[in-house]
């Protein structure tokens, strides 16, 4: 375990950042986070622990702010979870995605090397890097083949972590995480849309208050619009995955690990499971909208996490059924 129990998290207000912050607080860490200086910063995910955190205004586009924060905090562990994290959005904003998701991670690495080279660094890599997959399932030896600008930016960051680890003897590791969800995910993600639509259907809500990424109601006239229902993903629970991140940072030596459940489910199965849970037929509530079909579909993405089990003793605790239940229940509670 790290002697310096101070952790700095970029992207602390996001799904993973908030679960990780909770986890580290429980382990007795002093937890700091970087938040962007925007007038509408959403702290909903960390509201319940905000008094226990130290928050600093900074930006992955601004290397000076990163250096100053690392100097002030003097962390033993830095977790870089901030990113433009929507693959579909990355086609609309490829340069912006490269700046934040790719170069942003590089700026954090560089700031650590300059200011505090003994700090351990965790980079949130992504299964999206496997893209048009070359083998099934995917593990740490599978060749990467990115199929969208987000995945390409993540791959750049992944490569820089390995280069800095070898060149400067830094404790820097990549967690190649497959899809992990929770009630704290943004409504732009398909699992959230489906769970939310199931909750609306259960409560008889025909038109929701929430808007999708196209600026339209997520649930309109009792229906939710989705893209490719055949797309398959390996979905786990975010709370399980942040423990894996921490375990990587406690390992004897820095390395890269795949975290995954090893199971795939299609979006159609996700719909069926979510609406079955509320006692309804998903076909009455779901419609396919071509606008939500990505220009290039990846997959099937399914991870092999044997290495993480063997070396870190990590494995997911939450089943797909339990995950769906957690998300639908959370939306029902919020909507009520």
């Amino acid at each position: 375990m790290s002697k310096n129990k101070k952790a700095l998290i970029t992207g602390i207000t996001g799904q993973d950042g908030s679960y990780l912050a909770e986890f580290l607080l429980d382990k007795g860490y002093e937890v700091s986070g970087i938040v962007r200086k925007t007038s509408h910063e959403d702290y909903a995910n960390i509201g319940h622990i905000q008094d226990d955190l130290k928050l600093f205004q900074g930006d992955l586009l601004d290397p000076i702010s990163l250096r100053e924060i690392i100097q002030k905090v003097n962390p033993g562990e830095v977790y870089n979870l901030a990113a433009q994290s929507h693959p579909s959005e990355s086609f609309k904003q490829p340069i912006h995605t490269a700046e934040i998701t790719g170069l942003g991670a590089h700026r954090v690495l560089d700031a650590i090397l300059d200011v505090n080279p003994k700090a351990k660094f965790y980079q949130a890599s992504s299964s999206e890097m496997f893209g048009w997959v070359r083998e099934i399932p995917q593990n740490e030896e599978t060749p990467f083949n990115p199929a969208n600008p987000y995945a390409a930016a993540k791959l750049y960051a992944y490569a820089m972590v390995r280069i800095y680890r070898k060149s400067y003897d830094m404790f820097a590791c990549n967690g190649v995480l497959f899809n992990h969800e929770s009630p704290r995910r943004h409504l732009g993600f398909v699992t959230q849309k489906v769970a939310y639509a199931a909750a609306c259907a259960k409560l008889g809500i025909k038109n929701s208050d929430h808007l999708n990424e196209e600026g339209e109601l997520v649930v309109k006239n009792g229906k939710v619009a989705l893209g490719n229902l055949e797309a398959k993903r390996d979905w786990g629970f975010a709370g399980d995955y942040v423990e894996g991140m921490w375990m990587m940072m406690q390992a004897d030596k820095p390395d890269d690990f795949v975290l995954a459940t090893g199971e795939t489910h299609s979006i159609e199965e996700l719909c069926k499971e979510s609406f079955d849970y509320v006692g309804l037929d998903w076909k009455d509530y779901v419609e396919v909208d071509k606008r939500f079909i990505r220009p290039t579909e990846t997959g099937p993405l399914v991870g092999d996490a044997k290495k993480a089990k063997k070396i870190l003793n990590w494995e997911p605790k939450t089943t797909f059924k339990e995950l769906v239940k957690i998300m639908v229940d959370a939306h029902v509670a919020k909507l009520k």
Side-chain angles (χ1 to χ4, degrees), residues 1-9 20 24 29-30 32 73-80 112 116 118-122 171 245-247 249-250:
M1 177 146 349
S2 207
K3 288 184 188 70
N4 173 352
K5 289 190 81 167
K6 288 182 187 176
L8 175 64
I9 303 171
L20 179 63
L24 293 173
Y29 279 72
E30 182 183 292
S32 301
V73 174
N74 184 30
E77 299 172 11
V78 179
Y79 295 84
N80 181 44
I112 292 169
N116 189 356
K118 289 276 170 271
K120 296 179 173 185
F121 178 77
Y122 171 86
F171 191 111
M245 297 175 186
W246 175 79
M247 286 171 157
M249 297 283 255
Q250 312 318 310

Side-chain angles (χ1 to χ4, degrees), residues 84 86-98 128 132 146-151 293-298:
Q84 187 301 97
H86 293 263
S88 51
E89 188 62 32
S90 75
F91 282 101
K92 296 175 199 161
Q93 301 191 54
I95 308 298
H96 174 70
T97 301
E128 284 283 334
W132 294 297
N148 56 59
Y150 164 76
I293 295 176
R294 292 184 193 175
T296 53
E297 186 54 69
T298 56

Side-chain angles (χ1 to χ4, degrees), residues 166-313:
K166 270 199 158 42
S167 307
Y168 305 114
D169 199 27
M170 286 176 76
F171 191 111
C173 52
N174 287 296
V176 183
L177 272 54
F178 280 67
N179 292 57
H180 46 289
E181 314 295 323
S182 77
R184 299 182 192 174
R185 258 298 213 193
H186 189 273
L187 260 178
F189 291 91
V190 68
T191 44
Q192 281 291 61
K193 273 203 228 177
V194 172
Y196 177 75
C200 286
K202 178 186 164 80
L203 299 174
I205 298 167
K206 290 265 186 275
N207 293 295
S208 65
D209 294 334
H210 290 283
L211 305 179
N212 63 25
E213 60 268 46
E214 299 287 327
E216 298 154 353
L217 293 175
V218 174
V219 174
K220 191 175 172 187
N221 303 325
K223 300 229 173 191
V224 60
L226 301 174
N228 178 10
L229 299 184
E230 300 303 304
K232 289 187 170 169
R233 292 289 180 271
D234 180 331
W235 280 302
F237 173 54
D240 296 343
Y241 285 56
V242 299
E243 182 174 14
M245 297 175 186
W246 175 79
M247 286 171 157
M248 287 178 214
M249 297 283 255
Q250 312 318 310
D252 294 336
K253 61 180 204 295
D255 204 349
D256 308 320
F257 292 92
V258 163
L259 298 188
T261 70
E263 286 179 17
T264 53
H265 299 275
S266 67
I267 291 169
E268 184 175 312
E269 281 176 75
L270 172 69
C271 294
K272 185 175 184 326
E273 191 64 52
S274 302
F275 283 88
D276 276 359
Y277 177 58
V278 296
L280 297 166
D281 184 351
W282 70 273
K283 290 180 183 137
D284 298 335
Y285 300 92
V286 174
E287 59 189 12
V288 173
D289 185 331
K290 288 190 171 65
R291 288 175 307 164
F292 297 114
I293 295 176
R294 292 184 193 175
T296 53
E297 186 54 69
T298 56
L301 291 170
V302 52
D304 168 8
K306 282 194 196 79
K307 180 177 168 183
K309 174 147 178 44
K310 186 180 168 195
I311 295 175
L312 307 175
N313 200 25

